[in-house]
Amino acid sequence: MTFVHWIGVVFLGLILVGIINTPEDESSSGEMEAFSDAASSERSLESRMPEEQRRFVQVVSDHAAEFGESRNELQESRVRDRRKEAISATLDSRSISSWVGTINQLETNMDGKAILSVRIAPNIDIKTWNNAFSDLSSNTLIEKDSPIYSSLLDLSNGQRVVFSGSFFPSESDFIEETSITIQGSLKNPEFLFQFSSVRPIN
């Protein structure tokens, strides 16, 4: 093998070592750190949950798992009925105080009213409507001249918050849930909510 060939082999080896060791290790390290931070944040929020919120999250999560085991639409409908009864028994009223979660949507509609969604568990959201038409009879969108709008000005997606307000009554779910399908309602529920206060968790 000539000297030039040896140079080529050594150069190729250095490239392969760099590809194998550097990016992959850095990527794995970054992913592990992100996962650790997310898990730590979730544990921290869980420790702040009032007991009523803990029970609510457990009820909704248990019925999501039960829905996943359903074999037909009759069973799915029965699971939804049981969840309605369980939520009714869990909530002291449809008004709640000092629940905690993470903002996963903070935007405005065309009129500048605030759209807000707070995630209280990996698959459970508490939210306003995201458009004026759907909101006509609910008035969940947050007015620009309201104190709560002012309290949202310095917040952002991913921020942990403590909030209070009221759910809306529902014949199907005890509290109104906005998903179009029964699968969305049970597995990734989005409960309609009228926020009365939101503040950051320090």
Side-chain angles (χ1 to χ4, degrees), residues 113-124:
K113 296 180 181 180
I115 300 164
L116 177 62
S117 177
V118 176
R119 183 155 292 170
I120 64 170
N123 297 310
I124 307 172

Side-chain angles (χ1 to χ4, degrees), residues 2 5 21 30 47 59 62 64 71-72 85 137 157 166 190 195:
T2 67
H5 287 159
N21 290 335
S47 69
V59 161
D62 286 349
R71 295 192 298 274
N72 57 51
E85 295 171 3
S137 62
N157 288 345
S166 301
E190 299 179 328
F195 291 90

Side-chain angles (χ1 to χ4, degrees), residues 10-192:
V10 171
F11 184 68
L12 180 60
L14 289 173
I15 290 175
L16 289 174
V17 168
I19 290 173
I20 291 170
N21 290 335
T22 307
E24 203 170 70
D25 290 348
E26 289 178 359
S27 174
S28 298
S29 175
E31 288 174 3
M32 288 299 295
E33 286 179 10
F35 179 80
S36 176
D37 290 345
S40 176
S41 177
E42 189 172 324
R43 285 195 300 271
S44 177
L45 270 181
E46 207 173 308
S47 69
R48 292 174 177 266
M49 284 185 184
E51 183 58 33
E52 184 181 39
Q53 182 182 356
R54 288 179 192 275
R55 295 197 307 266
F56 178 81
V57 168
Q58 190 65 57
V59 161
V60 175
S61 299
D62 286 349
H63 285 82
E66 187 178 347
F67 179 85
E69 297 172 357
S70 299
R71 295 192 298 274
N72 57 51
E73 292 185 359
L74 282 72
Q75 292 183 0
E76 292 173 356
S77 181
R78 181 65 62 84
V79 171
R80 190 173 192 173
D81 291 342
R82 284 201 290 263
R83 188 186 70 172
K84 174 186 175 180
E85 295 171 3
I87 291 176
S88 173
T90 297
L91 295 178
D92 296 329
S93 75
R94 290 187 177 90
S95 296
I96 58 96
S97 178
S98 300
W99 283 23
V100 297
T102 303
I103 293 177
N104 70 317
Q105 183 181 23
L106 182 59
E107 301 173 3
T108 60
N109 72 349
M110 294 181 64
D111 300 320
K113 296 180 181 180
I115 300 164
L116 177 62
S117 177
V118 176
R119 183 155 292 170
I120 64 170
N123 297 310
I124 307 172
D125 292 341
I126 309 292
K127 55 176 279 187
T128 66
W129 283 115
N130 61 7
N131 65 88
F133 181 76
S134 299
D135 199 46
L136 281 174
S137 62
S138 306
N139 296 315
T140 62
L141 292 169
I142 301 165
E143 300 284 349
K144 294 178 70 173
D145 58 355
S146 66
I148 186 172
Y149 193 100
S150 298
S151 72
L152 295 172
L153 288 174
D154 294 324
L155 303 185
S156 58
N157 288 345
Q159 191 153 5
R160 299 181 304 162
V161 293
V162 55
F163 64 94
S164 301
S166 301
F167 294 107
F168 291 82
S170 165
E171 288 294 324
S172 302
D173 301 292
F174 184 70
I175 54 175
E176 187 168 353
E177 198 284 326
T178 63
S179 298
I180 296 174
T181 65
I182 187 172
Q183 181 173 356
S185 173
L186 270 293
K187 298 192 74 172
N188 300 94
E190 299 179 328
F191 295 103
L192 189 65

